[in-house]
Amino acid sequence: MQIYLYEDESCLGLRPINYFRHSAELEIGMTSIQEKWQAFGIQTLLLGRNHSVQVESSENSIFILANVIPSYELCDTVRQLEIGTALYQAETLIAFKTLQNLNFDQDLYLNTFSLSFKQKIQLSFLNDQLLFPWDIVRLNTKWLKIDSQKYESKVMPYEQVAMLEPNNITIGENVEILPFTCLNAKYGKIVIGNNVKIGANCYLEGPLFLADHTEIRAFTSIKDTSLHLYSRGGGEIASSVIYAYS
């Protein structure tokens, strides 16, 4: 079975953040949408724009809208799709299996209006979908909590560092936490990756994700936030998503 994540005109609302990256590469919680599919055991290829691949529709090909965030129910439903069947969430086509030729517009978005299906299935459950940039912030807390469930507690003693609810804290390798910092995991898990630096006199409150090679400056208060690879944070940060290399 080959799964393709495609973009259609519904992804235009995510500009400018998806202008130079595929919508499935957008990160929410701790991982990207594509990585969330992989976590469910479904390997995918990105279809469209700079990720164009040679597509030959076959009985083993399934196409899924790239800005839809997967769930257990959706993954099970997608695996059972038959040829000529489409999945809809309200009026939105979110997945289909077809042998028809695929057409792309000038921006390499898939033109789904030219497709016809012998069976249309309305989903009985609601899946999160990113339609606008603010949806990433709106849904980030929810997905921080979901993604953090796979992490087990892992802490180590740090001099003059307070940890509240240490069973909800995971700290990676080669992490530097300077004195007079507080990690408060009473309201959600705190996950800290590898090679992270946290300055003195900081307050960290969960749910919180600090990816590998991130840095928190001294006297920072941060909560309810995802800080991705090689990014830095300072000051007062709340309910934010900071993408890699920021």
Side-chain angles (χ1 to χ4, degrees):
M1 181 172 61
Q2 181 60 65
I3 306 292
Y4 297 96
L5 300 181
Y6 70 89
E7 296 178 298
D8 67 4
E9 290 186 351
S10 71
C11 297
L12 289 171
L14 287 166
R15 290 186 175 179
I17 61 172
N18 69 341
Y19 200 84
F20 294 107
R21 73 183 85 194
H22 198 280
S23 297
E25 294 177 310
L26 295 177
E27 293 163 320
I28 181 168
M30 299 184 183
T31 58
S32 68
I33 294 176
Q34 185 180 30
E35 289 169 332
K36 291 185 190 323
W37 283 104
Q38 292 170 352
F40 285 111
I42 296 180
Q43 300 300 315
T44 61
L45 290 176
L46 303 183
L47 184 61
R49 295 192 288 172
N50 295 332
H51 297 276
S52 296
V53 295
Q54 192 68 28
V55 179
E56 294 182 3
S57 296
S58 72
E59 58 186 31
N60 294 318
S61 297
I62 296 177
F63 302 87
I64 303 172
L65 185 56
N67 59 2
V68 173
I69 304 175
S71 62
Y72 286 107
E73 297 86 353
L74 181 58
C75 290
D76 289 340
T77 305
V78 163
R79 289 187 177 104
Q80 299 172 28
L81 276 180
E82 298 180 354
I83 296 174
T85 303
L87 297 180
Y88 281 82
Q89 183 164 278
E91 300 298 320
T92 303
L93 173 64
I94 65 170
F96 61 90
K97 192 172 187 178
T98 184
L99 294 177
Q100 302 172 66
N101 293 326
L102 302 181
N103 297 314
F104 295 84
D105 64 19
Q106 60 183 1
D107 294 319
L108 288 178
Y109 288 104
L110 182 61
N111 180 6
T112 57
F113 296 104
S114 62
L115 300 174
S116 59
F117 305 101
K118 64 181 182 182
Q119 184 180 12
K120 297 180 180 180
I121 301 174
Q122 277 288 345
L123 295 177
S124 58
F125 48 87
L126 185 64
N127 283 277
D128 291 330
Q129 184 179 10
L130 304 182
L131 296 174
F132 303 100
W134 52 84
D135 288 331
I136 297 175
V137 176
R138 178 177 61 86
L139 294 169
N140 194 61
T141 299
K142 171 183 176 179
W143 282 97
L144 270 175
K145 294 178 178 179
I146 293 173
D147 291 343
S148 66
Q149 292 175 3
K150 64 183 179 183
Y151 288 92
E152 297 181 356
S153 173
K154 181 184 176 183
V155 295
M156 58 198 73
Y158 285 89
E159 184 177 356
Q160 296 180 304
V161 172
M163 297 188 187
L164 305 182
E165 300 291 338
N167 290 337
N168 283 337
I169 298 174
T170 301
I171 300 176
E173 303 295 330
N174 193 32
V175 173
E176 179 183 52
I177 306 178
L178 295 185
F180 310 113
T181 287
C182 176
L183 279 64
N184 182 1
K186 291 177 62 177
Y187 308 107
K189 286 188 175 182
I190 295 176
V191 178
I192 300 173
N194 302 319
N195 303 299
V196 174
K197 295 181 179 180
I198 300 173
N201 296 283
C202 291
Y203 176 74
L204 284 66
E205 182 181 302
L208 178 67
F209 173 58
L210 305 180
D212 295 350
H213 303 284
T214 52
E215 181 179 348
I216 300 297
R217 299 294 178 86
F219 296 96
T220 294
S221 173
I222 182 171
K223 64 179 181 179
D224 195 19
T225 291
S226 298
L227 199 69
H228 292 282
L229 286 169
Y230 290 99
S231 53
R232 298 177 178 179
E236 187 170 348
I237 306 171
S239 303
S240 300
V241 181
I242 301 175
Y243 274 6
Y245 302 96
S246 297

mmCIF file of all heavy atoms in Angstrom, residues 132-162:
data_model
loop_
_atom_site.group_PDB
_atom_site.id
_atom_site.type_symbol
_atom_site.label_atom_id
_atom_site.label_comp_id
_atom_site.label_asym_id
_atom_site.label_seq_id
_atom_site.Cartn_x
_atom_site.Cartn_y
_atom_site.Cartn_z
ATOM 1 N N PHE A 132 -5.820 27.362 8.750
ATOM 2 C CA PHE A 132 -5.210 28.679 8.861
ATOM 3 C C PHE A 132 -4.055 28.602 9.849
ATOM 4 O O PHE A 132 -4.011 27.712 10.700
ATOM 5 C CB PHE A 132 -6.242 29.715 9.331
ATOM 6 C CG PHE A 132 -7.456 29.804 8.451
ATOM 7 C CD1 PHE A 132 -8.625 29.174 8.807
ATOM 8 C CD2 PHE A 132 -7.403 30.506 7.260
ATOM 9 C CE1 PHE A 132 -9.751 29.239 7.992
ATOM 10 C CE2 PHE A 132 -8.511 30.579 6.427
ATOM 11 C CZ PHE A 132 -9.683 29.939 6.794
ATOM 12 N N PRO A 133 -3.095 29.545 9.782
ATOM 13 C CA PRO A 133 -1.947 29.482 10.698
ATOM 14 C C PRO A 133 -2.343 29.438 12.167
ATOM 15 O O PRO A 133 -1.683 28.773 12.969
ATOM 16 C CB PRO A 133 -1.166 30.752 10.351
ATOM 17 C CG PRO A 133 -1.488 31.009 8.911
ATOM 18 C CD PRO A 133 -2.923 30.608 8.769
ATOM 19 N N TRP A 134 -3.402 30.144 12.539
ATOM 20 C CA TRP A 134 -3.779 30.175 13.958
ATOM 21 C C TRP A 134 -4.320 28.835 14.444
ATOM 22 O O TRP A 134 -4.383 28.606 15.648
ATOM 23 C CB TRP A 134 -4.783 31.298 14.227
ATOM 24 C CG TRP A 134 -5.981 31.308 13.328
ATOM 25 C CD1 TRP A 134 -7.127 30.586 13.458
ATOM 26 C CD2 TRP A 134 -6.143 32.115 12.145
ATOM 27 N NE1 TRP A 134 -8.003 30.869 12.443
ATOM 28 C CE2 TRP A 134 -7.432 31.811 11.626
ATOM 29 C CE3 TRP A 134 -5.340 33.067 11.509
ATOM 30 C CZ2 TRP A 134 -7.913 32.424 10.482
ATOM 31 C CZ3 TRP A 134 -5.835 33.661 10.364
ATOM 32 C CH2 TRP A 134 -7.095 33.349 9.853
ATOM 33 N N ASP A 135 -4.683 27.937 13.522
ATOM 34 C CA ASP A 135 -5.104 26.599 13.952
ATOM 35 C C ASP A 135 -3.955 25.842 14.613
ATOM 36 O O ASP A 135 -4.184 24.986 15.476
ATOM 37 C CB ASP A 135 -5.624 25.793 12.761
ATOM 38 C CG ASP A 135 -6.974 26.290 12.271
ATOM 39 O OD1 ASP A 135 -7.738 26.830 13.099
ATOM 40 O OD2 ASP A 135 -7.265 26.147 11.072
ATOM 41 N N ILE A 136 -2.731 26.123 14.199
ATOM 42 C CA ILE A 136 -1.570 25.451 14.792
ATOM 43 C C ILE A 136 -1.459 25.812 16.265
ATOM 44 O O ILE A 136 -1.267 24.944 17.126
ATOM 45 C CB ILE A 136 -0.282 25.822 14.034
ATOM 46 C CG1 ILE A 136 -0.368 25.337 12.587
ATOM 47 C CG2 ILE A 136 0.946 25.241 14.726
ATOM 48 C CD1 ILE A 136 0.799 25.764 11.721
ATOM 49 N N VAL A 137 -1.619 27.106 16.579
ATOM 50 C CA VAL A 137 -1.558 27.539 17.973
ATOM 51 C C VAL A 137 -2.780 27.046 18.747
ATOM 52 O O VAL A 137 -2.672 26.589 19.890
ATOM 53 C CB VAL A 137 -1.447 29.073 18.044
ATOM 54 C CG1 VAL A 137 -1.481 29.550 19.488
ATOM 55 C CG2 VAL A 137 -0.173 29.546 17.356
ATOM 56 N N ARG A 138 -3.947 27.100 18.115
ATOM 57 C CA ARG A 138 -5.187 26.700 18.789
ATOM 58 C C ARG A 138 -5.169 25.227 19.200
ATOM 59 O O ARG A 138 -5.662 24.861 20.270
ATOM 60 C CB ARG A 138 -6.377 26.969 17.855
ATOM 61 C CG ARG A 138 -7.734 26.557 18.416
ATOM 62 C CD ARG A 138 -8.852 26.922 17.463
ATOM 63 N NE ARG A 138 -8.732 26.255 16.183
ATOM 64 C CZ ARG A 138 -9.213 25.028 15.940
ATOM 65 N NH1 ARG A 138 -9.826 24.348 16.888
ATOM 66 N NH2 ARG A 138 -9.082 24.491 14.732
ATOM 67 N N LEU A 139 -4.563 24.378 18.365
ATOM 68 C CA LEU A 139 -4.572 22.937 18.612
ATOM 69 C C LEU A 139 -3.286 22.425 19.251
ATOM 70 O O LEU A 139 -3.185 21.240 19.572
ATOM 71 C CB LEU A 139 -4.806 22.187 17.295
ATOM 72 C CG LEU A 139 -6.165 22.389 16.633
ATOM 73 C CD1 LEU A 139 -6.158 21.813 15.216
ATOM 74 C CD2 LEU A 139 -7.267 21.728 17.458
ATOM 75 N N ASN A 140 -2.301 23.304 19.429
ATOM 76 C CA ASN A 140 -0.990 22.829 19.871
ATOM 77 C C ASN A 140 -1.020 22.209 21.265
ATOM 78 O O ASN A 140 -0.379 21.183 21.508
ATOM 79 C CB ASN A 140 0.029 23.972 19.831
ATOM 80 C CG ASN A 140 1.449 23.470 19.952
ATOM 81 O OD1 ASN A 140 1.923 22.702 19.115
ATOM 82 N ND2 ASN A 140 2.143 23.878 21.008
ATOM 83 N N THR A 141 -1.761 22.808 22.199
ATOM 84 C CA THR A 141 -1.829 22.256 23.555
ATOM 85 C C THR A 141 -2.395 20.844 23.543
ATOM 86 O O THR A 141 -1.872 19.933 24.199
ATOM 87 C CB THR A 141 -2.696 23.151 24.457
ATOM 88 O OG1 THR A 141 -2.110 24.442 24.530
ATOM 89 C CG2 THR A 141 -2.795 22.560 25.853
ATOM 90 N N LYS A 142 -3.451 20.638 22.772
ATOM 91 C CA LYS A 142 -4.049 19.310 22.668
ATOM 92 C C LYS A 142 -3.041 18.293 22.176
ATOM 93 O O LYS A 142 -2.909 17.187 22.741
ATOM 94 C CB LYS A 142 -5.253 19.362 21.711
ATOM 95 C CG LYS A 142 -5.823 17.997 21.368
ATOM 96 C CD LYS A 142 -6.953 18.111 20.357
ATOM 97 C CE LYS A 142 -7.464 16.733 19.943
ATOM 98 N NZ LYS A 142 -8.584 16.838 18.965
ATOM 99 N N TRP A 143 -2.275 18.650 21.126
ATOM 100 C CA TRP A 143 -1.343 17.690 20.543
ATOM 101 C C TRP A 143 -0.060 17.563 21.343
ATOM 102 O O TRP A 143 0.615 16.536 21.285
ATOM 103 C CB TRP A 143 -1.092 18.034 19.071
ATOM 104 C CG TRP A 143 -2.254 17.571 18.266
ATOM 105 C CD1 TRP A 143 -3.319 18.301 17.838
ATOM 106 C CD2 TRP A 143 -2.510 16.227 17.858
ATOM 107 N NE1 TRP A 143 -4.212 17.510 17.177
ATOM 108 C CE2 TRP A 143 -3.739 16.227 17.168
ATOM 109 C CE3 TRP A 143 -1.822 15.026 17.991
ATOM 110 C CZ2 TRP A 143 -4.292 15.065 16.632
ATOM 111 C CZ3 TRP A 143 -2.360 13.870 17.461
ATOM 112 C CH2 TRP A 143 -3.581 13.900 16.790
ATOM 113 N N LEU A 144 0.292 18.576 22.126
ATOM 114 C CA LEU A 144 1.387 18.415 23.078
ATOM 115 C C LEU A 144 1.054 17.305 24.069
ATOM 116 O O LEU A 144 1.891 16.442 24.386
ATOM 117 C CB LEU A 144 1.633 19.727 23.831
ATOM 118 C CG LEU A 144 2.625 20.721 23.244
ATOM 119 C CD1 LEU A 144 2.633 22.007 24.069
ATOM 120 C CD2 LEU A 144 4.017 20.128 23.175
ATOM 121 N N LYS A 145 -0.168 17.309 24.564
ATOM 122 C CA LYS A 145 -0.586 16.306 25.541
ATOM 123 C C LYS A 145 -0.659 14.912 24.912
ATOM 124 O O LYS A 145 -0.271 13.920 25.528
ATOM 125 C CB LYS A 145 -1.928 16.695 26.147
ATOM 126 C CG LYS A 145 -1.863 17.961 26.994
ATOM 127 C CD LYS A 145 -3.231 18.344 27.537
ATOM 128 C CE LYS A 145 -3.137 19.582 28.424
ATOM 129 N NZ LYS A 145 -4.458 20.000 28.955
ATOM 130 N N ILE A 146 -1.132 14.843 23.675
ATOM 131 C CA ILE A 146 -1.223 13.544 23.002
ATOM 132 C C ILE A 146 0.162 12.997 22.692
ATOM 133 O O ILE A 146 0.478 11.832 22.980
ATOM 134 C CB ILE A 146 -2.057 13.665 21.709
ATOM 135 C CG1 ILE A 146 -3.520 13.977 22.045
ATOM 136 C CG2 ILE A 146 -1.961 12.379 20.874
ATOM 137 C CD1 ILE A 146 -4.379 14.269 20.840
ATOM 138 N N ASP A 147 1.019 13.822 22.106
ATOM 139 C CA ASP A 147 2.353 13.367 21.713
ATOM 140 C C ASP A 147 3.217 12.996 22.917
ATOM 141 O O ASP A 147 4.082 12.122 22.827
ATOM 142 C CB ASP A 147 3.064 14.450 20.890
ATOM 143 C CG ASP A 147 2.436 14.659 19.520
ATOM 144 O OD1 ASP A 147 1.673 13.776 19.073
ATOM 145 O OD2 ASP A 147 2.704 15.699 18.895
ATOM 146 N N SER A 148 2.999 13.665 24.050
ATOM 147 C CA SER A 148 3.843 13.414 25.226
ATOM 148 C C SER A 148 3.532 12.093 25.907
ATOM 149 O O SER A 148 4.307 11.628 26.750
ATOM 150 C CB SER A 148 3.693 14.560 26.236
ATOM 151 O OG SER A 148 2.383 14.593 26.772
ATOM 152 N N GLN A 149 2.414 11.464 25.544
ATOM 153 C CA GLN A 149 2.024 10.217 26.196
ATOM 154 C C GLN A 149 3.029 9.094 25.967
ATOM 155 O O GLN A 149 3.129 8.159 26.771
ATOM 156 C CB GLN A 149 0.631 9.786 25.723
ATOM 157 C CG GLN A 149 -0.478 10.703 26.185
ATOM 158 C CD GLN A 149 -1.830 10.323 25.599
ATOM 159 O OE1 GLN A 149 -1.960 9.331 24.879
ATOM 160 N NE2 GLN A 149 -2.851 11.112 25.891
ATOM 161 N N LYS A 150 3.778 9.157 24.872
ATOM 162 C CA LYS A 150 4.730 8.090 24.559
ATOM 163 C C LYS A 150 6.029 8.213 25.348
ATOM 164 O O LYS A 150 6.876 7.315 25.291
ATOM 165 C CB LYS A 150 5.035 8.079 23.065
ATOM 166 C CG LYS A 150 5.737 9.339 22.559
ATOM 167 C CD LYS A 150 5.948 9.284 21.059
ATOM 168 C CE LYS A 150 6.625 10.560 20.554
ATOM 169 N NZ LYS A 150 6.789 10.569 19.092
ATOM 170 N N TYR A 151 6.208 9.319 26.082
ATOM 171 C CA TYR A 151 7.452 9.544 26.824
ATOM 172 C C TYR A 151 7.300 9.085 28.271
ATOM 173 O O TYR A 151 6.317 9.422 28.944
ATOM 174 C CB TYR A 151 7.831 11.028 26.800
ATOM 175 C CG TYR A 151 8.316 11.510 25.460
ATOM 176 C CD1 TYR A 151 7.429 12.049 24.532
ATOM 177 C CD2 TYR A 151 9.661 11.425 25.105
ATOM 178 C CE1 TYR A 151 7.866 12.500 23.297
ATOM 179 C CE2 TYR A 151 10.111 11.876 23.874
ATOM 180 C CZ TYR A 151 9.207 12.407 22.978
ATOM 181 O OH TYR A 151 9.633 12.849 21.751
ATOM 182 N N GLU A 152 8.276 8.325 28.734
ATOM 183 C CA GLU A 152 8.318 7.909 30.125
ATOM 184 C C GLU A 152 9.159 8.895 30.934
ATOM 185 O O GLU A 152 10.007 9.600 30.393
ATOM 186 C CB GLU A 152 8.902 6.504 30.242
ATOM 187 C CG GLU A 152 8.076 5.434 29.542
ATOM 188 C CD GLU A 152 8.673 4.054 29.703
ATOM 189 O OE1 GLU A 152 9.771 3.945 30.288
ATOM 190 O OE2 GLU A 152 8.032 3.086 29.259
ATOM 191 N N SER A 153 8.901 8.921 32.238
ATOM 192 C CA SER A 153 9.640 9.824 33.110
ATOM 193 C C SER A 153 11.130 9.496 33.093
ATOM 194 O O SER A 153 11.537 8.346 33.163
ATOM 195 C CB SER A 153 9.108 9.721 34.537
ATOM 196 O OG SER A 153 9.899 10.469 35.424
ATOM 197 N N LYS A 154 11.938 10.541 32.984
ATOM 198 C CA LYS A 154 13.391 10.377 33.019
ATOM 199 C C LYS A 154 13.995 11.688 33.526
ATOM 200 O O LYS A 154 14.034 12.682 32.819
ATOM 201 C CB LYS A 154 13.946 10.044 31.631
ATOM 202 C CG LYS A 154 15.460 9.836 31.611
ATOM 203 C CD LYS A 154 15.963 9.605 30.205
ATOM 204 C CE LYS A 154 17.479 9.491 30.181
ATOM 205 N NZ LYS A 154 18.008 9.343 28.801
ATOM 206 N N VAL A 155 14.418 11.669 34.782
ATOM 207 C CA VAL A 155 14.983 12.875 35.377
ATOM 208 C C VAL A 155 16.311 12.539 36.043
ATOM 209 O O VAL A 155 16.631 11.382 36.290
ATOM 210 C CB VAL A 155 14.021 13.495 36.415
ATOM 211 C CG1 VAL A 155 12.749 13.975 35.762
ATOM 212 C CG2 VAL A 155 13.717 12.499 37.524
ATOM 213 N N MET A 156 17.047 13.573 36.312
ATOM 214 C CA MET A 156 18.325 13.443 37.008
ATOM 215 C C MET A 156 18.475 14.659 37.913
ATOM 216 O O MET A 156 17.854 15.706 37.674
ATOM 217 C CB MET A 156 19.480 13.363 36.002
ATOM 218 C CG MET A 156 19.578 14.541 35.062
ATOM 219 S SD MET A 156 20.576 14.197 33.604
ATOM 220 C CE MET A 156 19.475 13.106 32.695
ATOM 221 N N PRO A 157 19.236 14.548 38.985
ATOM 222 C CA PRO A 157 19.357 15.681 39.912
ATOM 223 C C PRO A 157 20.162 16.831 39.314
ATOM 224 O O PRO A 157 21.179 16.624 38.652
ATOM 225 C CB PRO A 157 20.079 15.062 41.120
ATOM 226 C CG PRO A 157 20.828 13.892 40.562
ATOM 227 C CD PRO A 157 19.988 13.362 39.443
ATOM 228 N N TYR A 158 19.667 18.025 39.533
ATOM 229 C CA TYR A 158 20.379 19.239 39.150
ATOM 230 C C TYR A 158 20.479 20.119 40.390
ATOM 231 O O TYR A 158 19.509 20.265 41.146
ATOM 232 C CB TYR A 158 19.641 19.992 38.037
ATOM 233 C CG TYR A 158 19.756 19.360 36.677
ATOM 234 C CD1 TYR A 158 18.833 18.406 36.265
ATOM 235 C CD2 TYR A 158 20.774 19.716 35.800
ATOM 236 C CE1 TYR A 158 18.932 17.820 35.003
ATOM 237 C CE2 TYR A 158 20.879 19.138 34.539
ATOM 238 C CZ TYR A 158 19.962 18.196 34.157
ATOM 239 O OH TYR A 158 20.066 17.615 32.909
ATOM 240 N N GLU A 159 21.617 20.720 40.573
ATOM 241 C CA GLU A 159 21.842 21.536 41.757
ATOM 242 C C GLU A 159 20.950 22.772 41.745
ATOM 243 O O GLU A 159 20.928 23.535 40.777
ATOM 244 C CB GLU A 159 23.318 21.947 41.822
ATOM 245 C CG GLU A 159 23.674 22.728 43.077
ATOM 246 C CD GLU A 159 25.144 23.060 43.141
ATOM 247 O OE1 GLU A 159 25.905 22.618 42.243
ATOM 248 O OE2 GLU A 159 25.546 23.770 44.081
ATOM 249 N N GLN A 160 20.186 22.927 42.821
ATOM 250 C CA GLN A 160 19.316 24.095 43.024
ATOM 251 C C GLN A 160 18.307 24.278 41.889
ATOM 252 O O GLN A 160 18.003 25.382 41.464
ATOM 253 C CB GLN A 160 20.174 25.366 43.200
ATOM 254 C CG GLN A 160 21.038 25.331 44.454
ATOM 255 C CD GLN A 160 21.876 26.570 44.620
ATOM 256 O OE1 GLN A 160 22.640 26.928 43.723
ATOM 257 N NE2 GLN A 160 21.749 27.232 45.760
ATOM 258 N N VAL A 161 17.769 23.150 41.410
ATOM 259 C CA VAL A 161 16.700 23.153 40.408
ATOM 260 C C VAL A 161 15.497 22.435 41.008
ATOM 261 O O VAL A 161 15.621 21.293 41.459
ATOM 262 C CB VAL A 161 17.135 22.471 39.099
ATOM 263 C CG1 VAL A 161 15.942 22.325 38.155
ATOM 264 C CG2 VAL A 161 18.239 23.276 38.423
ATOM 265 N N ALA A 162 14.348 23.100 41.035
ATOM 266 C CA ALA A 162 13.131 22.512 41.598
ATOM 267 C C ALA A 162 12.336 21.809 40.497
ATOM 268 O O ALA A 162 12.184 22.343 39.388
ATOM 269 C CB ALA A 162 12.283 23.592 42.251
#
